[in-house]
Amino acid sequence: MKNIPELSRAICNSILTHTPIINLPKPPSAKAVGCGIYLRTDSARYLISAGHLLNVEDWKKFVAPVGGDKVIWLNGVLATTYDKNLDNFDIDFSVLRFSARMNKHFTDDQWKFISQEQILVNHSIDYNGYYFVAGYPISGVKKKVGEAVFDPIPFKLTTQSIPQKRYATLGYDEEQFILVHYRRKLQAFGSKHAQITKEIQGISGSGLWYVPDFDDKDERGIPKYYLVGIMTENHKDKGFLLALKIDFVTEIIIQAFADKSFEHSRFNLVSNLPDIQIVQEL
């Protein structure tokens, strides 16, 4: 396989165009609170994120970017696993379906909504394959003093799943979660020198992406990548990051929003779902 570092950079840079920073307005600037993923199906536009971030109590306080320096208040119907961000659930996700009147605000120039074809339902973990995480940690946001803008510094990671035997040891079901390597010291692409990694608080809500075939590329020459999970927890002290499989999200899109853009998961996710709360702000 050729040019993994270069291809990985291109993949992560493209992933970032789907990964908006969710902000709390805080004049004269804003406070980044986490990330999300923009999705567009034949029926609607969605913002996918972590449940502890877009929870019942907080979600109406937040804004998301639509292009340039423009942002919008989150508005629509939210399905979330969290009442408050103090709740503690492993099944941690939220899906906001934007109200139809919000569509006019999105130009799709800067922020690219992924399509349903870019989501892999029923993904079996590839223990020898590559996974990608890209987003904007809170620790990486640098505010410009006196201006109502900030410069985000992205986090990009090419990684692999932890060994299969560790899932059971750590108490995670591999049918529901994907655990990928991440440590304080990383050696990138066989380098002899380890680098100290920065704190990644705020990466929750971004996606876990998978490349099945590096030779299968789009028109830009970038290997095709697919969304397989939502990043929810940082367990760097144990050597991994936790992602919830995207199947939970697609099942809720089918069931809560009557959007038939996805096939049902082969797993019995319904029995594993916590109480989903539906709230509306139109």
Side-chain angles (χ1 to χ4, degrees):
M1 193 182 302
K2 298 180 180 179
N3 246 343
I4 289 295
E6 182 177 336
L7 291 174
S8 295
R9 284 191 290 270
I11 291 167
C12 286
N13 287 338
S14 187
I15 287 171
L16 288 170
T17 67
H18 318 306
T19 311
I21 311 168
I22 299 172
N23 299 300
L24 177 67
K26 195 173 182 180
S29 185
K31 177 183 178 181
V33 295
C35 296
I37 301 158
Y38 280 147
L39 163 69
R40 185 175 187 176
T41 70
D42 294 336
S43 301
R45 292 181 189 257
Y46 298 93
L47 174 63
I48 303 168
S49 189
H52 69 265
L53 176 60
L54 295 189
N55 60 81
V56 171
E57 185 175 84
D58 297 327
W59 75 283
K60 297 175 187 177
K61 306 173 186 176
F62 299 144
V63 295
V66 294
D69 59 356
K70 296 182 179 179
V71 297
I72 56 168
W73 293 99
L74 299 187
N75 197 290
V77 181
L78 179 74
T80 180
T81 56
Y82 272 59
D83 184 12
K84 302 177 181 179
N85 62 10
L86 299 177
D87 294 341
N88 185 21
F89 304 125
D90 283 332
I91 309 301
D92 176 5
F93 72 95
S94 57
V95 184
L96 171 67
R97 185 183 67 189
F98 286 106
S99 59
R101 64 185 178 85
M102 304 304 291
N103 290 338
K104 64 184 178 183
H105 298 291
F106 295 101
T107 64
D108 296 332
D109 293 332
Q110 179 180 359
W111 298 100
K112 311 292 185 182
F113 281 67
I114 64 170
S115 67
Q116 56 223 48
E117 289 78 18
Q118 289 172 273
I119 291 182
L120 279 188
V121 179
N122 294 321
H123 171 65
S124 296
I125 298 173
D126 182 351
Y127 294 97
N128 297 309
Y130 287 92
Y131 291 90
F132 298 84
V133 182
Y136 297 92
I138 294 173
S139 58
V141 174
K142 304 298 182 183
K143 296 180 182 178
K144 291 184 177 179
V145 178
E147 297 182 35
V149 296
F150 56 78
D151 289 330
I153 300 174
F155 166 82
K156 306 172 188 178
L157 175 67
T158 303
T159 185
Q160 293 180 293
S161 170
I162 67 172
Q164 185 175 16
K165 62 183 180 182
R166 286 199 67 200
Y167 280 75
T169 302
L170 291 165
Y172 290 102
D173 185 343
E174 60 198 278
E175 293 187 347
Q176 299 179 6
F177 301 96
I178 305 175
L179 282 58
V180 294
H181 286 290
Y182 186 74
R183 297 183 180 278
R184 180 165 174 74
K185 291 185 178 182
L186 291 178
Q187 290 177 251
F189 305 110
S191 171
K192 296 181 180 180
H193 303 286
Q195 295 181 333
I196 303 297
T197 59
K198 64 182 179 180
E199 291 299 324
I200 55 172
Q201 181 186 4
I203 206 71
S204 291
S206 60
L208 181 67
W209 308 79
Y210 172 67
V211 174
D213 182 358
F214 277 80
D215 291 324
D216 183 14
K217 300 176 181 177
D218 62 21
E219 66 280 357
R220 301 168 297 170
I222 300 175
K224 294 179 181 178
Y225 52 85
Y226 299 88
L227 182 64
V228 294
I230 301 297
M231 305 308 301
T232 59
E233 291 289 342
N234 173 10
H235 292 286
K236 188 168 66 173
D237 57 324
K238 298 179 181 178
F240 70 91
L241 302 178
L242 177 67
L244 179 71
K245 280 195 173 181
I246 199 63
D247 303 58
F248 286 93
V249 172
T250 56
E251 282 296 321
I252 286 303
I253 289 176
I254 295 171
Q255 296 177 37
F257 300 120
D259 188 332
K260 306 302 182 183
S261 300
F262 300 98
E263 60 179 297
H264 283 287
S265 169
R266 66 174 178 266
F267 307 128
N268 185 12
L269 294 180
V270 175
S271 64
N272 294 307
L273 285 172
D275 291 334
I276 301 296
Q277 302 188 63
I278 308 292
V279 287
Q280 182 169 322
E281 178 69 21
L282 299 175

